[in-house]
Amino acid sequence: MPSFNQSTFHPTVFFLTGIPGFETYHAWIFIPFCCLYVIAISGNGMILFIIITESSLHEPMYYFLSMLSFSDLGLCLSTLVTMVGIFWFNTREISFDACIGQMFFIHGFTLMESSVLLAMAFDRYIAICNPLRYATILTNSTIIKVGFAIVVRVTTVVVPLLLLLKRLSFCGSHVLHHSYCFHPDVMKLSCTDTRINSAFGLAIVISTAALDSVLILLSYVLIIRSVLNIASPEERKKAFGTCVSHTSAVAIFYIPTISLSLVHRFGKHAPPLVHTLIANMYLLIPPVMNPIIYSVKTKQIRKAMVKIFLSKLI
């Protein structure tokens, strides 16, 4: 373990953590992680390629799905280098500036995914509760404006968070609990007053993920109320069926995200292994599962995949 003096200074290096207690087996442990990365990158890349190339999928629902795949792809790629370095080459060092850059992409793509899931909930609400106006409300220009608003939201939230972090000084241990840089994890290592950072971070969580989840829940309350007014059982089943993929994506995104936030705020005495496992769940479960869910549950995506595979075979 590297030694550090106790004087306050601005760090040049942090040390990332693999799986505590299993350092000897890191090369073998990373094999399943590597498989998950391959599934996530190839799956999300495939969905992006299908939506871009298939003109029949140039609709609002699939535009939002492409945004979701893009955010998942970005989240995977932003951590791949440090994960490979730690588990296969025992390269644990990361500079403070590189750590800040990685945090920008991790938190940025996480916030982007939350925003896209909210936009997809709005899409399902309009499609089910007001289908006659669907085409006039969700036009191409509206989709572009939503995408631009998401980018602006990410930038205006994440950049100030990281600028506040850069003003802190650090002393003592520079060992992080994760295999990548995560804002609460880095902030805990500071030996200066972090009340402003903590309050601003909490305000961001409330105004983004918490607000998005409440609005998504509200949209589904309205959707369920509208569906229950449909007389035909078959129509009800069809309406609910169009929401299954999205509700699954919401669950696999928010459960790991909330778990990681709770561990950082209330799990100070939890074993390091718990922090690491939850952090890796947060990182890999949504990017791995979303392509699987949408390729299995969405007929148009599944048909497009079969068409591409058959054309390659022929």
Side-chain angles (χ1 to χ4, degrees):
M1 181 69 65
S3 60
F4 306 98
N5 61 51
Q6 297 298 313
S7 60
T8 301
F9 64 105
H10 200 280
T12 55
V13 171
F14 283 118
F15 292 86
L16 302 169
T17 300
I19 308 295
F22 296 89
E23 288 80 4
T24 306
Y25 308 102
H26 271 177
W28 294 104
I29 290 173
F30 191 66
I31 292 176
F33 280 103
C34 186
C35 294
L36 292 176
Y37 270 105
V38 170
I39 293 170
I41 293 171
S42 59
N44 287 290
M46 174 66 76
I47 286 181
L48 277 172
F49 176 77
I50 288 172
I51 293 173
I52 291 171
T53 56
E54 288 291 322
S55 58
S56 61
L57 299 181
H58 292 175
E59 298 177 3
M61 173 184 173
Y62 301 107
Y63 288 142
F64 289 132
L65 177 56
S66 68
M67 294 180 193
L68 187 69
S69 293
F70 177 77
S71 61
D72 281 335
L73 195 58
L75 189 61
C76 282
L77 294 176
S78 62
T79 59
L80 180 59
V81 173
T82 55
M83 292 284 281
V84 170
I86 292 167
F87 285 91
W88 277 351
F89 302 103
N90 198 31
T91 305
R92 299 174 53 223
E93 301 87 352
I94 184 170
S95 69
F96 184 68
D97 289 335
C99 195
I100 290 289
Q102 188 180 53
M103 276 189 284
F104 174 80
F105 289 108
I106 291 174
H107 291 287
F109 283 119
T110 300
L111 178 55
M112 180 181 293
E113 183 151 350
S114 178
S115 303
V116 172
L117 288 171
L118 176 58
M120 295 175 81
F122 178 72
D123 170 82
R124 291 299 84 204
Y125 167 74
I126 298 297
I128 293 173
C129 300
N130 204 345
L132 297 179
R133 296 188 59 197
Y134 182 82
T136 58
I137 294 175
L138 290 174
T139 61
N140 287 341
S141 62
T142 302
I143 303 300
I144 293 172
K145 290 175 184 176
V146 169
F148 180 74
I150 290 173
V151 172
V152 171
R153 185 191 195 197
V154 168
T155 305
T156 55
V157 167
V158 177
V159 170
L161 183 73
L162 299 183
L163 290 177
L164 284 173
L165 189 66
K166 283 184 71 71
R167 71 182 180 85
L168 299 180
S169 297
F170 296 81
C171 57
S173 174
H174 285 192
V175 179
L176 300 171
H177 287 104
H178 305 326
S179 306
Y180 53 88
C181 292
F182 189 65
H183 177 266
D185 197 19
V186 176
M187 185 179 65
K188 285 180 181 178
L189 298 183
S190 174
C191 51
T192 50
D193 188 1
T194 61
R195 285 179 295 180
I196 295 176
N197 300 69
S198 184
F200 188 69
L202 180 60
I204 287 175
V205 171
I206 294 172
S207 62
T208 56
L211 178 62
D212 291 353
S213 60
V214 169
L215 292 175
I216 290 171
L217 180 61
L218 177 61
S219 70
Y220 272 99
V221 169
L222 297 174
I223 287 171
I224 291 171
R225 189 179 69 175
S226 178
V227 170
L228 291 178
N229 290 329
I230 300 174
S232 169
E234 287 298 322
E235 290 297 323
R236 287 184 188 177
K237 183 178 179 181
K238 183 179 178 181
F240 279 128
T242 63
C243 300
V244 171
S245 299
H246 180 253
T247 53
S248 301
V250 169
I252 65 172
F253 172 75
Y254 279 106
I255 291 174
T257 302
I258 292 171
S259 300
L260 185 60
S261 298
L262 290 176
V263 165
H264 273 287
R265 289 204 169 268
F266 306 110
K268 295 179 181 179
H269 303 293
L273 184 61
V274 173
H275 287 263
T276 303
L277 293 177
I278 293 179
N280 288 326
M281 284 174 53
Y282 156 83
L283 177 70
L284 287 172
I285 286 181
V288 169
M289 293 303 299
N290 282 337
I292 296 173
I293 290 170
Y294 278 96
S295 60
V296 170
K297 293 293 184 180
T298 307
K299 184 192 297 184
Q300 291 84 345
I301 296 290
R302 191 166 62 250
K303 286 173 64 177
M305 284 186 172
V306 171
K307 178 182 174 182
I308 289 174
F309 285 133
L310 287 178
S311 66
K312 294 294 182 183
L313 289 174
I314 294 173

